[in-house]
Structures are given as structure tokens and as C-alpha cells.
Amino acid sequence: MHPFFIFVKCELGKAYDVAADLIEEVEGVSEVYSISGPFELLVKVYVEDEQDIGRYVNEQIHKLPNIKDTQTIITFNAFT
């Protein structure tokens, strides 16, 4: 499994609704954080190593209501 992160910008007043939709409806979403800054949410996602991340974001995340914008952060290595 490969982790990556998505910053999500929501319609005004809809961050909690979007967070609930991400957790309840999108397979692979492990955690959703409310954050400060230009985006309202930070989403941690796990996909299979061979899965196309761009297609995943387009088909699983962008289809949800009340999402205005996203920025995907692809991870390389986890240091522990």
C-alpha cells in the first residue's frame, strides 16, 4: 500500500460535510484533518502500489459535492 495526501478546499461552510463524505464514501481514505491555511482539509489516503493516483483522485475525490479545489502530495519514503 502506498500513502499520499490531498489538500482539499471546500465550499464555504461545507468542510464538515466533505470530511464526513470522504470518511464514509471513499475507499482508501484513512484520516481526514481540519487544517488552517488556504485549504480546509488534509486527507491521508492509501492505495495499492500499482494504482494510478491521478485516476483515483479524479474518480473518487473530485466527484464529491462541495469540493472546490485539491492539491495532491505524493509521498516517496516514510522515515521512522
Side-chain angles (χ1 to χ4, degrees):
M1 299 292 282
H2 186 81
F4 68 97
F5 295 87
I6 306 168
F7 288 117
V8 177
K9 185 177 289 190
C10 305
E11 296 289 343
L12 288 177
K14 296 297 183 177
Y16 282 78
D17 294 335
V18 172
D21 288 345
L22 287 162
I23 291 292
E24 295 169 5
E25 298 180 24
V26 182
E27 186 175 340
V29 170
S30 68
E31 299 166 57
V32 178
Y33 298 92
S34 59
I35 59 172
S36 63
F39 293 90
E40 285 78 36
L41 302 173
L42 175 64
V43 183
K44 185 175 185 181
V45 180
Y46 286 94
V47 295
E48 297 295 330
D49 290 336
E50 66 279 353
Q51 189 166 357
D52 182 329
I53 291 173
R55 183 176 297 276
Y56 175 91
V57 172
N58 282 322
E59 294 177 356
Q60 300 297 317
I61 305 299
H62 290 167
K63 71 175 185 176
L64 295 175
N66 301 310
I67 292 179
K68 289 177 59 174
D69 193 15
T70 64
Q71 182 177 345
T72 302
I73 310 299
I74 297 173
T75 62
F76 298 113
N77 200 11
F79 299 98
T80 56

